[in-house]
């Protein structure tokens, strides 16, 4: 099992950039598919991006429009979400989630119900 922990949220202005981090201790995190989700007040939680356990495949929600990039470090202990050209509508609590990518190869990494482990979330607020 793993316990994702998010960090890097904050208050920024429209057009600014921000990088979120999702970290988990242990070597097993490198075998997990990791996704970033967000939830704005009064709205459903939605997937923003995901990355395969190998790091070779990435997945994005169409609405991101190329502004966000998901990646993981060489040790596979941390997954990042680089957010550029932030807009007020990006304001939300951002969550990191994970499931075993080598075990559940048929799961859709863009579906919320695919994930077994969730972080506590980090607040991102974009002012205009």
């Amino acid at each position: 099992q793993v316990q994702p922990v998010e960090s890097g949220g904050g208050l920024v202005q429209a057009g600014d950039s921000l990088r979120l981090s999702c970290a988990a201790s242990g070597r097993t995190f490198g075998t997990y598919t990791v996704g970033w989700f967000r939830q704005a007040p009064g709205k459903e939680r939605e997937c923003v991006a995901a990355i395969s356990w190998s790091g070779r495949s990435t997945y994005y929600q169409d609405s991101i429009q190329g502004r966000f990039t998901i990646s993981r470090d060489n040790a596979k202990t941390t997954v990042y979400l680089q957010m550029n050209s932030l807009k007020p509508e990006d304001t939300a609590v951002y969550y990191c989630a994970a499931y075993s990518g080598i075990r559940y190869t048929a799961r859709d990494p863009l579906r919320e119900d695919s994930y077994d482990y969730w972080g506590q979330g980090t607040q991102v607020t974009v002012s205009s």
Side-chain angles (χ1 to χ4, degrees), residues 4-84:
V5 178
E6 307 95 334
S7 63
L11 174 62
V12 298
Q13 294 182 333
D16 285 352
S17 297
L18 204 59
R19 189 178 76 164
L20 305 182
S21 298
C22 175
S25 299
R27 297 169 60 186
T28 57
F29 194 52
T31 67
Y32 280 70
T33 296
V34 177
W36 283 99
F37 294 77
R38 68 184 181 186
Q39 187 167 29
K43 295 186 178 294
E44 296 182 347
R45 187 155 58 186
E46 62 179 357
C47 186
V48 176
I51 189 166
S52 66
W53 71 270
S54 67
R56 290 181 165 83
S57 298
T58 57
Y59 313 86
Y60 296 96
Q61 185 188 107
D62 291 340
S63 64
I64 298 303
Q65 300 178 346
R67 297 182 297 116
F68 293 3
T69 302
I70 190 170
S71 63
R72 67 195 311 166
D73 63 10
N74 292 333
K76 299 183 180 179
T77 57
T78 306
V79 172
Y80 304 97
L81 184 68
Q82 178 67 45
M83 304 185 293
N84 299 324

Side-chain angles (χ1 to χ4, degrees), residues 97-118:
Y99 68 87
S100 178
I102 61 172
R103 181 174 182 180
Y104 304 111
T105 59
R107 291 185 179 181
D108 183 354
L110 293 176
R111 290 184 59 89
E112 180 178 348
D113 58 9
S114 293
Y115 292 84
D116 300 309
Y117 308 102
W118 291 80

